[in-house]
Amino acid sequence: MLAIKRSIPAMCSWLILTFVILSRQSAGAVGVVTTPWSPVAVSGFGDGGLVLTDFDPDWVRAGALAQQADGKLIVAGYMYSGSDSRFLLARYTPTGVVDTTFGENGAVVSDFGQQSNFTAVHVQSDGKIVAGGKLWLDFAIIRYNEDGSLDTSFNDTGLATISFGRNGYGTDFFIQPDGKIMAAGTLQEDYFVPGDLALMRLNPDGSLDTTFQGTGMLTIDLGGSELSAALTRQEDGTFILAATADQDFAVLRFNEDGSLDSTFNNTGIVVTDFGGPDAARDLEVQTDGKIVVAGNYLYSHYAMQRLNTDGSPDTSFDNDGQLVDSDTDGPLMGITLQPDGKIVVAAEGLYDFRLARYLSDGSLDTDFGGNGRVTTDFGGYDTPVDLVLQSDGKFVVAGYSLQTKLALARYLENGSLDFVTSQLFLPMVLHY
């Protein structure tokens, strides 16, 4: 007799079958023999690969996405209620379920009494969560414990604000191996007009690191109107800032002390004109040290460039190191790099998430979505803001939908949404 016991807990990520084989010895025969088997993984994310978290009637905006070592996902942004915006974090399990062990029912809203928003988020090696952005007219960095509570060992309150004496807002930051935080942002001439670039470095306790430029702060004026975009650190300790300078791409490389790196294009700065109003948006560094900068040309056309480590154009990328993709219908919002050098782009496209993938030479990868492009509709006005690549080759895109919902989607390596799939293998039973 063969009896099968199925155990399928709710929301379980593994389907486990237990086979109980009963046999009875008879003359000249001994029971049954079964072939070995192993449990079969059940993969999937949210509902059909999509997750929507409704904060109605409050408005929400996602600003950035980070992944913890355990696979949990953190979305940072802001919640707008009445006339005030407040810092917002939300955390999800690896399968896209709201993590109720975090904050209050999976979300943390930090209200410091003034307009505020997050534009970047990272997770420290000890599991603490660091998010940065703007608090009224100043730069803001907040550190949280793993459970979402404010980390009061960081500047006594969990919040550090940095003022340059005029309106400023943070755009990106990274955490150094020694725990110091290097942040970048924009200083505005008035509330709506960008002016100069700003850098600041904090100690692990939230105080300004005065070994950086004497004050912990640095202003960069390229002679026109500048807008900070993205910041990343290289293995040798130098760091790269992608920005927009007078409607052109600008890439700056700095030494650890904040001085411009003269081995990078002799001046430490590369400015690239794609032929129209251009705006840098994101930045990634390949494993070979080459630099990929992405943004927009004429607002809704994707623009990308790849630079060699010395700042010269990498002519193996679309022949001249520059790429403009005009088969688009909305601005590029972020990029990530796969280990094989492919570039995945997340963009807005006629109120939907729009993704594209390019080969390392800049051509569209037709193995992705059949033609190199994928469109995802959450049923509303959908805007992606950030994406992360997971260790299994899947990637998650975060954004918002219909003003009141956070939106996440997870994709397989070929661009299809990560649906729940399973496969059942029964053992072979031999009688003798």
Side-chain angles (χ1 to χ4, degrees):
M1 181 180 71
L2 175 63
I4 301 178
K5 178 183 177 182
R6 291 184 175 89
S7 175
I8 312 178
M11 303 304 295
C12 185
S13 62
W14 285 90
L15 180 63
I16 302 175
L17 300 183
T18 303
F19 294 91
V20 181
I21 309 298
L22 301 178
S23 63
R24 181 172 59 189
Q25 183 176 356
S26 61
V30 182
V32 297
V33 175
T34 63
T35 58
W37 73 286
S38 59
V40 179
V42 176
S43 65
F45 185 80
D47 182 4
L50 307 179
V51 172
L52 280 172
T53 306
D54 199 344
F55 288 81
D56 190 50
D58 296 314
W59 286 21
V60 291
R61 292 287 188 279
L65 174 67
Q67 182 174 234
Q68 296 184 173
D70 61 3
K72 291 183 178 180
L73 298 160
I74 300 168
V75 178
Y78 70 89
M79 174 186 288
Y80 194 88
S81 180
S83 60
D84 294 321
S85 61
R86 293 166 287 171
F87 294 118
L88 172 68
L89 292 180
R91 191 165 73 187
Y92 298 83
T93 69
T95 57
V97 178
V98 172
D99 180 10
T100 57
T101 68
F102 183 74
E104 182 177 352
N105 297 321
V108 172
V109 178
S110 297
D111 186 357
F112 291 94
Q114 294 174 312
Q115 299 283 353
S116 54
N117 69 285
F118 284 139
T119 54
V121 62
H122 295 285
V123 181
Q124 293 186 167
S125 58
D126 62 1
K128 292 183 178 181
I129 301 160
V130 183
K134 175 186 178 69
L135 177 60
W136 192 229
L137 302 180
D138 296 331
F139 298 86
I141 301 285
I142 302 180
R143 193 165 70 195
Y144 297 87
N145 295 309
E146 288 185 78
D147 63 0
S149 59
L150 288 167
D151 177 14
T152 54
S153 70
F154 186 75
N155 202 39
D156 295 328
T157 61
L159 165 70
T161 57
I162 304 95
S163 175
F164 281 73
R166 52 179 163 148
N167 187 33
Y169 61 92
T171 54
D172 203 2
F173 70 92
F174 62 79
I175 302 170
Q176 298 183 174
D178 60 5
K180 293 182 179 181
I181 300 168
M182 177 66 73
T186 301
L187 298 171
Q188 295 175 296
E189 297 301 332
D190 59 40
Y191 197 78
F192 296 104
V193 180
D196 299 326
L197 304 174
L199 292 172
M200 62 222 76
R201 190 163 70 193
L202 304 182
N203 292 309
D205 65 1
S207 60
L208 281 166
D209 176 16
T210 55
T211 67
F212 180 75
Q213 294 289 304
T215 61
M217 302 186 295
L218 174 64
T219 299
I220 304 103
D221 182 2
L222 299 182
S225 178
E226 292 91 48
L227 186 66
S228 172
L231 183 71
T232 193
R233 181 182 184 274
Q234 297 190 284
E235 290 187 1
D236 62 0
T238 60
F239 57 96
I240 302 170
L241 174 64
T244 302
D246 285 336
Q247 298 187 330
D248 293 328
F249 277 26
V251 183
L252 300 84
R253 191 163 73 192
F254 299 87
N255 297 307
E256 287 186 88
D257 63 0
S259 60
L260 286 165
D261 179 7
S262 61
T263 68
F264 186 72
N265 197 39
N266 297 320
T267 62
I269 304 171
V270 173
V271 176
T272 304
D273 181 3
F274 285 85
D278 315 319
R281 177 73 189 191
D282 206 357
L283 162 72
E284 293 283 351
V285 177
Q286 297 182 169
T287 54
D288 60 3
K290 292 182 179 181
I291 302 159
V292 180
V293 182
N296 298 291
Y297 160 74
L298 294 177
Y299 179 71
S300 61
H301 304 295
Y302 309 160
M304 287 186 280
Q305 69 177 147
R306 191 163 69 199
L307 302 174
N308 294 310
T309 56
D310 63 359
S312 61
D314 176 13
T315 55
S316 69
F317 184 72
D318 205 44
N319 297 318
D320 61 356
Q322 299 179 35
L323 168 68
V324 173
D325 185 348
S326 296
D327 187 16
T328 59
D329 44 30
L332 182 150
M333 305 299 285
I335 62 170
T336 191
L337 300 181
Q338 296 185 178
D340 58 5
K342 293 179 180 180
I343 304 166
V344 182
V345 165
E348 184 181 334
L350 294 179
Y351 313 127
D352 297 325
F353 281 20
R354 182 81 178 266
L355 284 79
R357 189 167 71 194
Y358 303 84
L359 301 173
S360 60
D361 65 1
S363 59
L364 274 169
D365 178 10
T366 56
D367 289 336
F368 183 77
N371 63 356
R373 305 183 193 277
V374 170
T375 299
T376 302
D377 183 5
F378 285 84
Y381 188 163
D382 313 322
T383 302
V385 297
D386 202 3
L387 69 167
V388 296
L389 179 69
Q390 299 185 314
S391 59
D392 58 3
K394 299 175 184 179
F395 52 94
V396 180
V397 181
Y400 55 92
S401 177
L402 287 175
Q403 315 294 339
T404 62
K405 298 178 177 68
L406 294 181
L408 292 91
R410 188 163 73 189
Y411 301 85
L412 303 177
E413 201 272 341
N414 65 4
S416 60
L417 284 166
D418 187 8
F419 288 94
V420 174
T421 58
S422 63
Q423 203 168 14
L424 173 64
F425 295 94
L426 296 179
M428 182 183 296
V429 181
L430 304 176
H431 295 265
Y432 63 96

